[in-house]
Amino acid sequence: MKLVAVTACPTGIAHTYMAAEQLEGQAQKMGFSIKVETQGAMGIENELGQDDIDKAAAVIFAAGIAVQKAERFEGKKIFEFSVQEAIKNPEKILQKVKEEVGG
Amino acid sequence: MAAEFTFEFPLPLGLHARPASFIQEKCQNFSGEIIWENQRTQRQADAKSVLSLVTSDTQHCDLCRVIVRGEGEIEFAAELKAFLLEELPIREEKALQVPPKAEAIVPRMILEEKEVYLTGQPASSGIALGKALMLKALVDWPQVRQVRGQRRAKPEKEKKSFLTALSGLEQELKKGLAEKAGTEKNILQAHLSIATDPAFVKRVMEIIEKERASAASAVAVVAKEFSEKLLKSQTQYIRERVADLKDMTLRLLEKLGYKEVAKKKSELKEPSILVAEDLYPSEFLGFKPGLILGLILEKAGQTSHTLIMARGRGIPAVTGVTEASRLLSTGEEVVVDGTRGVVVVSPGEKIRSYYQKELEAEHKLKEIRQKKALLPGRTADGRIIEVAANIGHPEELERAWQDGAEGVGIFRTELLLYGKKTLPGEEEQFSLYRKLAEEAAGRPVIIRTFDIGGDKPIPSVKLPQEPNPFLGYRGIRIYKEYYEVFRNQVRAIMRAAVHGRLKLMFPMVALVEEVRWLKEQVRKFSEELNSQGLPCNQNIETGIMLEIPSVALLVDKFAPEVEFFSVGSNDLIQYFFAADRGNPQVKYLNQPLSPALLRLLKLAIDRAHEHRRWVGLCGELAGDPRLTPVFVGLGFDELSMSSGFIPEVKAVLSRVRMNNCQKLVAEAMERATAEENTYLLENFYQDYFSEDIVTSELIDLSADCCSKAEVIHKLAVSFELSGRVDNRAVFEQALWKREDDVATEIGFGLAIPHCQSGTVKTPSVGLLRLKQSVDWQSKEGQPVDLVICLAIPSGDKVRSQIQLLPKLSRKLIHEDFRQALRQAGDREEVVKLIKSAIS
């Protein structure tokens, strides 16, 4: 299964990246492919192209603030979590996505 | 019959003045009697009297019995019970949510410990703990004593005059209420509720009747009685009521014909913290230096000379503390936190320990400063810039040398005159200046002649009242009228200049013809002295203050007349932007980084250099190390400041290069606003002052902290001690702001407090391993034993370094990395681990 995710938090130097790291690590364990865009103090990094988004089975937001350029995800199935949840329990998040999307 | 109920008092701060007035308001609607009985203190109170309620000394969770008698007692008792348990706590909470003033930073510890505190603006940094001394106490009870004990034969007459005085006061207060708003209205409201308080009135009448006391005497006696009861209470908040009571007593006594009991200045006998509405420089100087531990002022402007002197002497001060002189009283233990703009009243144990750590931090910072004081006044590439001290009194010299002053950039001689009935004559001044010259031991000392007028009125010189003294008759403008004063001083300086490197400087020059006149007089004095056979330095180096913009634009024409210029930044800015420096409402116009001001200064300095004249800066701004690169870039030859700032300025000087600073100024002059330049300057600091992201100073492997608040404070202190942040208070606040969004505990026993803030000088990482785990106050959070603090500056030129922090954050997700951090044997190993994680 292909997934995309966006992580973001108020200061953008810590949680954003920790959440990204967790989601990437957990996806690998569960055999999914995932691309995580970070929106932090460095601006948008590892930006999701329209192509990435179109091909994804689902979108995960793990954010403490509003996600920028949210219009890219119109029409997609979006799972929203807090950035803390992504850090503390990435497995639960991916399990939930798996159950709902299948795959 | 009576209805009654018993309940536990719900308010954490106890039954103090404000909730008492809410209860009184509520009970007023009931026609019968309501008795409040505190089961713990065994005191009874009339629930329709604020004073009576307050003196029941009811604390949080005290069991209270309320007895209601009269028509509809059962219904009202039920209503009152509901009010006390439900509505009262809500109203009290709302009343407590008055936000502190924007500029004060209240340490989290104070809020968590529910301490009583007042806020103002930080005015002179540092911490002082000591006893308060009210300089203008409203009423001192000992002085009221003289009124007490008076007897009168006709009680009816006395009762009548008391009631007349009371209703007169009531009318005044009501009239005031209609006109006032905000805090002032609240005060009047409080006064009104005392004036009309049934318990107070009843007791006064009783004493007049029983003891045949005069009305004034009865008021004084009852006020004292009530005040003592209030003071016995455990609730600190009640002091507010005592101040109101004093205030109202005074006004009542005034109405009864006793004006002489009012206001008398206290005397300073032991080291104290002075509390006053404002303090004139003369008053400040009237006290022995060692006796002032700190200052709490209501109204002093940041650039008032009293505060400037307090900074010079390293005396912590907070200003803008509304009602300080009403809320505090003599002898009370207070903390003055001049770094944060906070005053803590009767601090508890945890706050004492917090400030103990603050004092230790200040002490260590002082040691670091002393090392910097020894640096030469020179840029990294060797351009010499003299770093000098501003002084107001020869006594300050010793401290100035300790701080590393290379001379005196301005001796404000008019400060010698404060509090003196007569002006010092030529001989007296000569011996003083001579002593100064000798003590300076070859270092240059610029003596600025009397700048009388403006904000510095001198009792011995009677100047006419004018609507706008800053723009009026002051400085050299009065010298023709007060020619002898001028003559005596200049002659004294010229004579003393034989004994050391004294220089002469004139204030408030606007025109070339003024300087020509001054120089002509100097020549005349020197001829006089010669013919009198008194040795003098005929070629004394002479300069003028550059504080009026007209001088800046005509420096080339002034140059043939003078040897140097010294910029008085406070006055120059105030005249340039047409904004009174003491008026808080136009404070935003005080813009040292304004491109307009920079252009003016650059033009003036370049012209002066073309004519081989040197230019100094002797205003307060010179002491701001953040601005040092700007002043270097502008081309100043000398920077003179309150000596306390010298070490930091020298440290910055030793690290900057001329060409970089010049480039910075060239860029800043092309911007449109001061704000853009603030940003520009922040980036400049990033480019030239960047350091390793982590050093062992930032690591503590066995931190002893009992709470999250202590952890955050410890981090703030260690970041300032290692030079990572300018101001630990601002940094601490920034960390808390992030914690308040969502606590940064992320599981695994790890918390990562972090922030982006202007006070952070360079991207930094700190690490604490805690001896015992603490609760990080997060939802469903686990205790934390490993804390990693990430700090980044604001500004956009730091990308390359900020990039390192996300790398570290990602790494922290991995158990093996955390394990390594927890097991590392020493700080160096931790530094290595972190560095390798981000490389």
Side-chain angles (χ1 to χ4, degrees), chain A residues 11 13 21-22 42 84 88, chain B residues 738 742 745 809 813-814:
Chain A
T11 318
I13 56 173
E21 187 76 9
Q22 283 290 61
M42 310 295 306
Q84 276 76 17
K88 290 190 177 178
Chain B
R738 175 64 187 82
V742 179
E745 181 266 335
S809 301
I813 285 301
H814 299 283

Side-chain angles (χ1 to χ4, degrees), chain B residues 711-762:
Chain B
V711 172
I712 302 266
H713 183 229
K714 192 178 182 71
L715 286 168
V717 168
S718 90
F719 272 57
E720 183 170 347
L721 286 177
S722 49
R724 298 295 169 143
V725 302
D726 276 324
N727 183 325
R728 63 186 178 282
V730 174
F731 182 57
E732 191 179 4
Q733 190 187 38
L735 289 175
W736 274 112
K737 190 171 174 290
R738 175 64 187 82
E739 293 297 327
D740 288 342
D741 282 341
V742 179
T744 59
E745 181 266 335
I746 56 156
F748 327 111
L750 174 66
I752 35 162
H754 57 276
C755 71
Q756 178 166 30
S757 161
T759 196
V760 179
K761 293 200 245 182
T762 177

Side-chain angles (χ1 to χ4, degrees), chain B residues 3 69 82 102 138 190 233 272 275 282 304 424 451 694 703 731 745:
Chain B
R69 275 194 202 98
L138 288 172
S233 154
S272 301
V275 186
S282 57
S304 78
D451 184 7
V694 60
F731 182 57
E745 181 266 335

Side-chain angles (χ1 to χ4, degrees), chain A:
Chain A
M1 181 168 64
K2 274 195 162 86
L3 297 172
V4 292
V6 178
T7 61
C9 67
T11 318
I13 56 173
H15 290 64
T16 303
Y17 303 96
M18 292 180 159
E21 187 76 9
Q22 283 290 61
L23 290 174
E24 286 163 6
Q26 189 61 37
Q28 202 185 0
K29 267 189 215 161
M30 293 170 69
F32 304 149
S33 116
I34 191 167
K35 181 173 178 183
V36 185
E37 171 180 310
T38 51
Q39 300 185 355
M42 310 295 306
I44 295 180
E45 288 172 295
N46 201 23
E47 186 164 352
L48 298 172
Q50 204 56 54
D51 191 43
D52 297 320
I53 298 166
D54 291 343
K55 282 181 186 157
V59 181
I60 299 168
F61 285 177
I65 51 169
V67 168
Q68 292 173 49
K69 296 192 187 174
E71 68 282 354
R72 288 173 292 174
F73 306 101
E74 227 165 82
K76 297 296 287 187
K77 174 93 177 154
I78 299 174
F79 292 84
E80 291 191 58
F81 300 93
S82 75
V83 69
Q84 276 76 17
E85 281 175 281
I87 297 171
K88 290 190 177 178
N89 212 335
E91 189 179 354
K92 202 168 120 193
I93 290 179
L94 291 184
Q95 205 60 47
K96 187 172 176 199
V97 172
K98 185 180 168 187
E99 279 162 21
E100 293 201 15
V101 180

Side-chain angles (χ1 to χ4, degrees), chain B residues 145-156:
Chain B
R145 206 176 290 150
Q146 53 174 300
V147 181
R148 290 205 298 267
Q150 285 173 346
R151 299 191 185 276
R152 295 286 185 274
K154 295 176 182 159
E156 290 317 311

Side-chain angles (χ1 to χ4, degrees), chain B residues 177-189:
Chain B
L177 267 179
E179 291 163 0
K180 297 273 160 56
T183 326
E184 289 183 28
K185 191 167 185 156
N186 289 339
I187 299 167
L188 291 177
Q189 190 79 54

Side-chain angles (χ1 to χ4, degrees), chain B residues 811 817 831-839:
Chain B
K811 197 83 181 168
F817 183 61
V831 169
K832 258 188 227 155
L833 278 166
I834 293 176
K835 280 191 178 165
S836 72
I838 57 183
S839 63

